[in-house]
Amino acid sequence: MSIAASVVRQAKTRAEVVPSDVAPLFPQSASRKKDSESSAVHSRIDETPDPKTGAPRLWVVIPGAKSPEVYDFSRFLTHPELARFLVEGFRQWAGSVSTPTRSRRCRELNSGLGAFLSSMREELAPASIDEAFWTSFVAWLNGPRHRNGKVWQPAVRAKTLNAVKSCITALFDHPEHCEVATALMDKSGFPRNAWPGRSRKSVPTKVLSPLERHSIILASLSEVAAIRQHVHERETTLETGRTLLENARQNELGPLYRTEIGACAAMIDAAFPNKLAKRDDLYDLDPELTNAIQYKHGMLPVRRILYATFRDLVPFVLLIAIRTAFNADTILSLNWSQIRVSEDGHTITFLGVKNRSSSLQASISEDDATLDSDFPAEPGEPFALADLLRTLRLLTERTRAILSDPSHADRLFVGIPAWGSYRVRSYDHKDGPCGDGTWKFSLQKFIHDHKLKSFSLRTLRFSEGEAEWRRTGDLLAVRDRLGHHTMATTRTHYTSDGMRRESKLRVAETQVLYQRWARTEGRVDPRRQPEECRSAATPGFGCLDPFDSPRPAQRKGRLCTAYGECPICPHAQAWPQNVQAVAYYLALPKAIQDARLGRISPGHWVKKWPPILAAHTLLLGEIPLEVRTEAARFQINLKPVG
């Protein structure tokens, strides 16, 4: 029932926040879908010879925003008919995926089937491919493919084969190639599962321990507190600098650049409101200003009064990553327009899209203390999520005005470089924002400054799944927390060694409890007992060591089945203040007396059960009157002992 309630609650919440048609709510996903459709329509195959060498070539050209994407399949031209067939399949398939996925698939095709075909002397056509060809290709994939003579991992071999499958299946609806494509998949003996068990993990997922996770949160919160103070102080410093500059102008005095860093920052802010000033720009403006910055204050401290550095952004990235459990690329590319705040301010929703997927990701943060006591969500609380976003917006306000790429103006995380490049931007890389060297360097600097164990945003995402498992013990809840479409993804890729070990323990516990239920003919039924009472053989009691019972007729290593004998057992635990437990204590004497009515012989009963009844009477005497009165309202019938 708890699992069902969890699923229903999650579904209702998501339905309220994320409608089925997400285009009006999230224009980026609609734009991405539109771009994909445009790519599929306008992409083309280029077979013109190389203008420099005259060598034949085979390209797939896909139009892009800045420059077209070119994918080279020239090595397939040793088999022209097959090459045109596969390249047309790649063109059809590539219109619905992202650029990194296209690039990766192109490499897999060239290093796999392309290399295999180049070793064949006879020209091959798609219609002549049979089971012998696929068997030879699989045998080739199983051979030594690395330069050092080692073979590829089974998962790599499967991806290489699936790259060919993607190109073929993309032609199922093609007006010219559909019949050949269907025949290749259904009649040519295409391998269906050449490497069974390839996705089974041999190394458990690496996750952070609760203490390590807690240390990251504390380190991030401490930096956010310092940055909040810095944002407040820099406004005061700037205001002081503007006043000093105005006084110097009115009194015809030289500005106090060397003694007042605020005067330097105020001058730069006034002279360069729309760009990041270089050293030459400052020298042209005022040589004294350049000398004061270079020899007295330093360029980075002056810039930090005005702008956000990428190092300043790290604690904000980490705290939002812990709250949302999003994919690393999704976190680093979040936009302000993707954040929804409820009218009462108590619920904040983050929306994002994975780099390799157009599906909407949603994370809902409520003011629920049970989610994370270290990181509250309610507005007005210190270090709350709303307060964190407010501080981040103030920190990056001026930085956003001087961005080199205006398309990043809505990004949450924008910063200036500490040195080197003068480009003011957000995190960006051809393989996704998390591949940006600026992010990697800033994170490593954060880890070094706080002497933390090395981790990444990917590790944080895995750890949040582990934390959800510890909190709920429900793999469905972990799936919802991580935003997976299928349970197989959660179970295969996001279950750590600890989660698997705990799952095995729960299965083992269920088995031994079922065995005890069967051996006692249903008298010991754990289904209706609280969690702390399931270890003991008598309802309402707990047990310190149920696998080593000192009671007669019990065997070491097996779960105790001494139903009704817990009041006299030295391993027993009792809770005379608990109303539910006391209700069972009040019902036990009747179950013991009922055993005299034919279940066991009178002699055996007199020999065994009076001492147990006496011990139980002492326990009943420890129950407070108000607890006993409340427990007596419940009518519980226990099965006879014996």
Side-chain angles (χ1 to χ4, degrees), residues 154 192-200:
R192 298 299 177 183
N193 189 16
W195 301 277
R198 61 187 178 274
S199 61
R200 189 179 301 121

Side-chain angles (χ1 to χ4, degrees), residues 429-543:
H429 192 268
K430 64 177 182 178
D431 293 329
C434 68
D436 193 327
T438 304
W439 161 250
K440 294 180 180 179
F441 178 82
S442 301
L443 178 61
Q444 291 304 315
K445 187 71 168 59
F446 174 87
I447 293 172
H448 179 267
D449 291 344
H450 294 280
K451 298 179 174 56
L452 300 172
K453 181 180 178 181
S454 181
F455 66 93
S456 64
L457 289 179
R458 182 173 182 268
T459 310
L460 278 183
R461 175 168 164 81
F462 281 37
S463 301
E464 288 310 299
E466 175 88 354
E468 184 70 14
W469 170 262
R470 289 198 184 100
R471 191 173 69 87
T472 64
D474 183 1
L475 205 58
L476 291 172
V478 177
R479 181 199 64 182
D480 291 339
R481 174 83 168 118
L482 298 178
H484 293 149
H485 286 293
T486 63
M487 180 64 73
T489 303
T490 309
R491 187 182 297 108
T492 303
H493 300 289
Y494 288 83
T495 50
S496 67
D497 185 48
M499 293 172 66
R500 293 183 177 186
R501 185 169 57 251
E502 187 172 343
S503 294
K504 292 178 181 178
L505 290 174
R506 290 171 69 90
V507 171
E509 178 186 356
T510 302
Q511 289 177 333
V512 295
L513 289 174
Y514 178 80
Q515 183 183 27
R516 182 166 65 180
W517 176 81
R519 289 178 61 195
T520 60
E521 299 177 357
R523 293 192 300 277
V524 183
D525 190 349
R527 295 173 299 177
R528 301 178 182 178
Q529 299 182 38
E531 184 72 27
E532 64 272 12
C533 299
R534 291 177 183 172
S535 59
T538 309
F541 290 86
C543 186

Side-chain angles (χ1 to χ4, degrees), residues 117-186:
L117 290 174
S118 63
S119 65
M120 299 179 63
R121 296 181 180 180
E122 296 183 4
E123 186 175 320
L124 187 68
S128 62
I129 292 178
D130 55 12
E131 187 173 357
F133 172 83
W134 295 122
T135 302
S136 300
F137 183 42
V138 171
W140 182 87
L141 289 173
N142 288 331
R145 301 270 62 87
H146 287 290
R147 292 181 179 179
N148 58 7
K150 294 185 177 180
V151 299
W152 286 342
Q153 293 293 327
V156 177
R157 290 176 245 166
K159 288 179 181 178
T160 306
L161 181 61
N162 285 334
V164 182
K165 180 180 178 181
S166 299
C167 294
I168 297 175
T169 54
L171 297 174
F172 278 174
D173 297 325
H174 195 274
E176 180 182 351
H177 301 296
C178 60
E179 292 184 8
V180 176
T182 304
L184 282 175
M185 293 306 301
D186 296 341

Side-chain angles (χ1 to χ4, degrees), residues 30 41 45 78 148 175 279 320 375 537 581 601:
V41 172
I45 297 176
T78 54
N148 58 7
R279 185 173 280 102
I320 292 175
F375 191 14
S601 65

